[in-house]
């Protein structure tokens, strides 16, 4: 569990920087309209209940991390096209995705070894490939705003 806690702390400490890098790279009108364009508004984001049992929290954490990993894949793909020169953003997205993969593996291992849970049903964010440019940027910003809040709450719960 200490490794999971450490990974959550690392992700939490870097979430704000990722969010700022993202909305800054999108250009106007994003930096000056965060409340309207980047407010957490991801209704299909998996829930998390901080007062649950360890097993229940781990299952919910697994769902959140799987959802975020897939979402970061969409965002990274979109940003490589929309902002091909934003290398610091690409690097931060990739390193966050790597950290999420490691966390997912550790949560899965803990669920298997301690609770004998071998499978967790997960939901993924909708694919953004068919969306228009502004919508891709807005959805990414909303998702990262939600992630920043949720990862903070989750890190405190463990």
């Amino acid at each position: 569990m200490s490794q999971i806690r450490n990974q959550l702390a690392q992700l939490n400490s870097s979430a704000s920087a990722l969010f700022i890098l993202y909305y800054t790279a999108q250009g106007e009108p994003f930096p000056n309209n965060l409340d309207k364009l980047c407010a957490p508004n991801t209704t299909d984001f998996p829930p998390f209940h901080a007062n649950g049992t360890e097993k229940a929290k781990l299952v919910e954490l697994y769902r959140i991390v799987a959802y975020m990993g897939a979402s970061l894949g969409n965002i990274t793909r979109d940003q490589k096209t929309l902002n091909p020169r934003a290398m610091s953003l690409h690097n931060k997205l990739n390193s966050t995705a790597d950290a999420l993969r490691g966390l997912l593996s550790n949560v899965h291992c803990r669920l298997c070894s301690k609770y004998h849970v071998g499978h967790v049903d997960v939901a993924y964010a909708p694919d953004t490939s068919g969306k228009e440019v502004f919508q891709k940027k807005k959805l990414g910003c909303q998702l990262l705003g939600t992630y920043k809040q949720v990862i903070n709450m989750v890190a405190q719960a463990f």
Side-chain angles (χ1 to χ4, degrees):
M1 276 301 288
S2 65
Q3 192 169 11
I4 290 171
R5 276 192 281 280
N6 290 340
Q7 287 171 305
L8 284 168
Q10 176 201 0
L11 287 163
N12 185 38
S13 70
S14 65
S16 285
L18 175 59
F19 182 61
I20 292 166
L21 256 178
Y22 181 87
Y23 73 69
T24 303
Q26 305 320 300
E28 287 302 329
F30 286 88
N32 293 316
N33 293 281
L34 288 181
D35 291 346
K36 290 179 187 168
L37 298 175
C38 299
N41 186 25
T42 312
T43 55
D44 58 349
F45 204 92
F48 182 77
H49 302 93
N51 57 352
T53 64
E54 180 182 276
K55 178 182 176 182
K57 289 192 299 187
L58 285 168
V59 167
E60 289 181 337
L61 175 59
Y62 188 91
R63 289 181 177 137
I64 288 168
V65 173
Y67 180 97
M68 272 309 301
S71 298
L72 278 180
N74 288 339
I75 292 170
T76 303
R77 179 200 61 220
D78 293 342
Q79 288 302 305
K80 285 183 178 178
T81 303
L82 300 174
N83 291 306
R85 292 189 191 96
M87 296 313 290
S88 58
L89 174 60
H90 300 173
N91 291 339
K92 190 76 166 162
L93 287 166
N94 286 329
S95 66
T96 302
D98 289 345
L100 285 168
R101 275 190 291 279
L103 177 58
L104 190 67
S105 176
N106 288 334
V107 171
H108 183 258
C109 192
R110 177 77 174 180
L111 282 168
C112 281
S113 64
K114 185 167 183 183
Y115 299 107
H116 309 290
V117 175
H119 176 76
V120 176
D121 289 328
V122 296
Y124 296 107
D127 184 24
T128 56
S129 60
K131 304 268 186 203
E132 66 168 26
V133 169
F134 184 79
Q135 198 61 21
K136 287 179 182 183
K137 291 180 176 188
K138 183 177 177 184
L139 288 170
C141 205
Q142 288 173 334
L143 184 86
L144 291 173
T146 301
Y147 165 71
K148 185 175 73 125
Q149 286 185 344
V150 170
I151 201 70
N152 182 45
M153 178 179 57
V154 170
Q156 290 178 23
F158 282 93

